[in-house]
Amino acid sequence: KTPHLAFDRRPRTRSMRWLFLLPSAWSVDPFSVPVTVYVNAAFGNEDEGWTAWDEAYPMQQAVKLFNAGALLPGLEAPAIDVNVVYANNLGAVGQGLKNTATGFLLWDPAPNIMIGCSWSSVSMASSALMGSISQVHLGYSSTNALLSNKEVYPYFLRVIPPDSLQSRALADMAAHYKYTKLTAIYTDDGYSKGLHDDFFKFANEMGISVTSFALRMGHAETEWADTFEQAANAGSRIYFGMCSMGFVPHWWSNAID
C-alpha cells in the first residue's frame, strides 16, 4: 500500500540529504528524462506490531521541494520528473530480496535506482544481488560496517556512518565515565548485532568488561522478559542497549520492569 504523503510535515534537512546524493547515483541525467526510484524499505509488519511509514516521506518531499525551488533558493534548475515506487520489505531478508528481484529482474524497464532497505540484514542480501547486475543501491539507515566492503557490495552507497563509528563513540563514552563493567543487551538483527560486536571489541580493548545478552527478533512477548532477568542477575550497574528502532518501546518496557 502506498502511504498518504503529507509533504509539509517532514524536515527539509533530511530531504536535502537524499537529493544531493541522488543525481550522482543515477545512471541517466535526471533533468532530461523521467526516472524511477524504487524505495524498498521496512514500512511496517502488522504481524509483529510495528510501523515505520515515515521512511516513505523524504524521497517524495525532496523532489517536491526541489521542483518548487524551496530547497535551494536562487538555484535555477529545470524540474525533475521522478516516479517513486514503494515496496514494503517487512524488515525481512527474504521479502527484501524478493522485492529487489521483482523490480530489477522482472520489470521492463527496470528502475533507475533502489533506495533502502532500511535494516542492514536486508540490505546485505539485496545489495549483493544489485552488485551482480551493476545496479545502484542507496542506503539511508543500513549501518553495518560490512557493507563498506566494495568487493562484496560494489554498487552500495549510503548517507549514514557505519556501525563501527557509532560503536567507537559508545565505547569512548563508557571509558570517559570510567566504567569497568557493564551489560549490553541487543536485538539479534544485523544492525544491532553489528553495533554490539564492534562495541564489545572496542570496550574490551579499553579494559572494560562487557557481559552480553541477545534478544531474538520476533520473540519480544515470549522470551525478552526472561533475557532481561538474566541480564539483571549478571550484576552490572550500567546497561547499554542496542536495538532496531521499532523495538525500542519493547526494550524500555522490559528494562523498566
Side-chain angles (χ1 to χ4, degrees):
K1 298 179 181 179
T2 301
H4 172 67
L5 299 174
F7 299 113
D8 59 338
R9 297 180 183 177
R10 313 310 298 178
R12 291 187 180 184
T13 52
R14 191 176 180 189
S15 299
M16 291 174 70
R17 182 180 68 181
W18 287 62
L19 187 68
F20 289 152
L21 188 53
L22 281 172
S24 65
W26 282 326
S27 57
V28 298
D29 180 359
F31 299 112
S32 63
V33 296
V35 295
T36 298
V37 176
Y38 191 60
V39 182
N40 180 5
F43 296 133
N45 189 322
E46 293 182 1
D47 293 337
E48 296 182 0
W50 60 270
T51 60
W53 287 110
D54 61 306
E55 299 197 9
Y57 289 99
M59 183 62 238
Q60 285 277 16
Q61 188 192 33
V63 174
K64 181 179 178 69
L65 293 177
F66 184 88
N67 286 343
L71 273 183
L72 299 172
L75 175 66
E76 295 185 5
I80 50 180
D81 185 1
V82 179
N83 177 37
V84 182
V85 180
Y86 297 96
N88 185 9
N89 62 43
L90 306 174
V93 173
Q95 185 63 50
L97 187 58
K98 179 180 178 180
N99 292 349
T100 303
T102 298
F104 289 86
L105 297 181
L106 299 183
W107 289 7
D108 186 19
N112 298 93
I113 183 174
M114 182 174 76
I115 292 178
C117 297
S118 299
W119 298 357
S120 293
S121 55
V122 184
S123 283
M124 286 177 172
S126 294
S127 195
L129 173 59
M130 292 290 279
S132 70
I133 58 176
S134 303
Q135 294 291 335
V136 175
H137 174 190
L138 172 61
Y140 56 89
S141 63
S142 297
T143 53
N144 193 297
L146 294 177
L147 284 164
S148 296
N149 186 343
K150 292 304 177 186
E151 294 295 323
V152 182
Y153 309 107
Y155 282 81
F156 179 78
L157 308 171
R158 58 180 158 198
V159 292
I160 188 171
D163 295 333
S164 54
L165 296 183
Q166 299 180 48
S167 301
R168 168 64 74 176
L170 289 173
D172 286 345
M173 183 176 70
H176 172 78
Y177 286 106
K178 297 181 171 55
Y179 298 149
T180 58
K181 179 181 180 180
L182 56 85
T183 294
I185 308 176
Y186 65 96
T187 50
D188 64 356
D189 59 283
Y191 162 67
S192 304
K193 187 178 186 306
L195 189 65
H196 163 269
D197 290 352
D198 284 333
F199 169 73
F200 185 91
K201 180 185 69 173
F202 293 140
N204 274 270
E205 290 173 352
M206 297 174 182
I208 302 170
S209 174
V210 180
T211 303
S212 302
F213 294 87
L215 303 167
R216 291 206 301 164
M217 297 286 286
H219 296 268
E221 303 297 334
T222 58
E223 298 181 0
W224 284 25
D226 291 338
T227 303
F228 270 87
E229 185 174 351
Q230 295 173 27
N233 293 331
S236 299
R237 186 172 62 89
I238 305 299
Y239 294 83
F240 275 59
M242 299 93 166
C243 65
S244 295
M245 181 171 59
F247 288 91
V248 170
H250 291 288
W251 195 101
W252 272 113
S253 176
N254 282 279
I256 292 170
D257 292 342

